[in-house]
Every structure is written in structure tokens, then in C-alpha cells.
Amino acid sequence: LERTALRRWPDDLPELPRVVARQVSSSVGGHTVRGYPAFVDTGSAVDIQVFAAESEQAAATGSGLRRLLRLSVPSPVRAIEKALDPRTRLLLGANPDGSLTALVEDCADAAIDALLPVSGVWTASEFAAVRDRAARTLGATTREILGRVEKVLAVLQQVQVALPAKPPAAHADAVADIEAQLEWLLPKGFVALTGATHLADLTRYLTAIVRRLEKLPQGLVGDRERMNRVLAVQDAYDELLKALPPSRAVAPDVVDIGRMIEELRVSLWAQQLGTPRPVSEQRILRAIAAVAN
């Protein structure tokens, strides 16, 4: 079942099984060994690997299918990049991905993710249907996502202007906290990692940072109190991530706790921006406990 260097769905594989099993005999009896196959992104191609745990399969599947679809349809990246006006190119060029081309590639990845069904793709016919849809819509969806990213980067620029290069000693802890938050929110590949549906949330999180920086000089005591509340749950979340295997740490329920912490920040520093759901330290700690148990 395992393959290497795939650039399309294998012609001789009508279905990728969700689980494979083999009976293993020994001198003291027999037992069943199960494996969990998945497409795995290797950068320029895709492999099929069989994992020992279902969580490892789940962690690999999304990026593996994304790469296989990107290889199976024409890329819209060059055409989109060429069509951008100079002002937009300038704004988008300064981004966490490192270059304009890398950013548009990131947006195309996010566009593919938006096309993939939540249940995944397990048969050649399902893959062909998603591939054909991607061939029709990938360019338009990528451009739409790039428009949302433009709003993100416009607010990021405001944050960067407001962040002092050499903050006063009294502001140093708050500025360090904000810089750590930015690293969390905007790693390389941030568009696909955030997901198309959460880019507006990312814009809101960055706007909340701008509001925090505006209030900081006159509200140091309150800022530290709010920061300590956030850091208490952030520390608990960090401990959870350390305790989890990498494949479990990227599961949706675990990732959602990180978003809950960002919503807590919004509620504390920019309540007027609103949050899509109730949020509190207690809710976050209960969510952490549910995963840990």
C-alpha cells in the first residue's frame, strides 16, 4: 500500500482504506496489528505512509491531500501575482511568509483546504470531484483569500508602527508579551494554518493589539493585571501542548483552545470588538482539562 513520489492519485488505487489490519502469529497465540494509511506531503510530491496511530493519520491527511491536489491542477499563483497593482504588491510583500510569491502560494493552500470536505477524501472518485472543482475555482478562491489577507497585513502594519523598537522599562513586559503573541499568530504559512474562515478573526486579534498599545502608556497597572490573567491560562495551555504527542497537538479541539485564548485577549483589551462566543479563564481551563483527561 505504501507509495512514494506521487503527483496524482494512483491509477490502481480505487480507495485508500482508513485502516488496514494484519493477523500476527506467535508462539503464545496471535493478535491483530492495525495501521492507518494517509497521504503525506513531502514538498515536491506525496507519499502514502501507514501510521501506527489514528491521530498520526489525521495529522498528516490534510496537508497530504492539499499537496496532491495542488500538484493535480494548474497553479494560479503567477497569474494572480502579475495582476496585482503596485500599492497592493508593496503591502503584501512584507509578510511572515517571506515573499509575495510565498504568500500567494500560502493563500492557494488555504483555498484548497477550503475545498476539502471535513470527512476527508478516501476514494479516487471523491478525489476527482474535488480536483475538478479546484480546477474551476482555485484561482478565484485564492484571490478572495488574498483580499482577506490584505486586511490582516494592513492591521499588522499598524501594530508594527505602534510597537516601540526600544520600549521604556515599564512597558517592556507588555511589549514582550505582544511580540510572543505575534509569533504565535503569524508563523510562516500563517494563512493555511489560520484557515480561510478564521482570517477575519486574525484581523480582529491584531486590531485588539493596536487598541492595547494605544491604552498602554496611561494604563500600565490594568494592562499588567489583564496580562497576568492571560498568561495563567497560556501557561496551562503550553503545558498541555508539551504533554501531547505532535499529532494530537494539531487536533481541532486542541487548536481551538489557542483561539479561545486569543478571544480572551480581545475581551480584556478590546471588548468593543466583540467575541463570537462567551469566553473566560474558567472555560479555557475546563477545555484544557477535557483534553488532558
Side-chain angles (χ1 to χ4, degrees):
L1 184 62
E2 292 192 322
R3 317 284 177 90
T4 59
L6 296 173
R7 298 183 66 84
R8 62 180 184 179
W9 190 285
D11 293 335
D12 61 344
L13 187 70
E15 179 176 2
L16 182 69
R18 299 187 187 217
V19 61
V20 290
R22 176 178 295 172
Q23 292 294 324
V24 178
S25 299
S26 68
S27 59
V28 294
H31 63 281
T32 301
V33 175
R34 289 182 174 82
Y36 301 89
F39 290 105
V40 177
D41 180 9
T42 61
S44 60
V46 173
D47 293 348
I48 296 176
Q49 296 180 19
V50 180
F51 292 96
E54 194 171 5
S55 60
E56 294 176 306
Q57 177 194 54
T61 293
S63 59
L65 283 169
R66 176 206 300 157
R67 177 63 61 198
L68 198 61
L69 283 163
R70 288 294 310 273
L71 291 168
S72 301
V73 300
S75 173
V77 169
R78 183 173 297 179
I80 291 173
E81 191 175 348
K82 287 178 63 176
L84 295 173
D85 61 76
R87 186 198 67 81
T88 303
R89 292 177 68 90
L90 183 63
L91 173 63
L92 296 178
N95 67 78
D97 287 339
S99 70
L100 177 57
T101 300
L103 179 67
V104 182
E105 290 280 4
D106 195 4
C107 291
D109 285 346
I112 288 289
D113 289 345
L115 293 173
L116 284 168
V118 175
S119 58
V121 173
W122 299 95
T123 68
S125 59
E126 290 172 345
F127 181 83
V130 177
R131 180 199 62 210
D132 292 347
R133 185 181 174 198
R136 296 192 305 270
T137 65
L138 182 57
T141 305
T142 301
R143 283 190 292 271
E144 180 188 353
I145 290 173
L146 189 62
R148 301 182 204 176
V149 171
E150 185 176 354
K151 296 177 181 178
V152 170
L153 295 179
V155 182
L156 176 61
Q157 193 174 71
Q158 295 177 36
V159 173
Q160 291 168 333
V161 169
L163 268 176
K166 295 182 178 180
H171 298 186
D173 288 345
V175 169
D177 179 53
I178 290 169
E179 289 174 342
Q181 183 187 4
L182 291 173
E183 287 183 14
W184 168 266
L185 290 174
L186 297 160
K188 188 174 182 180
F190 74 99
V191 184
L193 287 170
T194 301
T197 58
H198 289 287
L199 287 169
D201 293 329
L202 180 54
T203 302
R204 188 163 45 85
Y205 301 155
L206 293 172
T207 302
I209 295 175
V210 174
R211 304 283 173 86
R212 179 183 180 182
L213 286 166
E214 289 171 349
K215 299 173 184 176
L216 183 61
Q218 293 78 37
L220 282 172
V221 174
D223 186 89
R224 179 168 293 278
E225 185 273 332
R226 288 186 286 270
M227 181 174 66
N228 288 339
R229 290 171 62 182
V230 172
L231 291 179
V233 293
Q234 183 70 57
D235 288 346
Y237 184 48
D238 290 343
E239 289 300 315
L240 175 69
L241 294 177
K242 290 177 185 176
L244 295 174
S247 59
R248 182 70 179 93
V250 297
D253 58 339
V254 180
V255 172
D256 188 58
I257 297 173
R259 293 197 183 103
M260 292 174 69
I261 295 174
E262 293 303 322
E263 295 296 347
L264 178 64
R265 287 181 177 273
V266 172
S267 73
L268 293 175
W269 276 288
Q271 190 174 16
Q272 66 275 20
L273 294 177
T275 59
R277 52 182 166 167
V279 64
S280 67
E281 294 102 305
Q282 292 74 23
R283 289 175 185 268
I284 294 169
L285 292 174
R286 284 199 296 268
I288 290 172
V291 172
N293 296 331

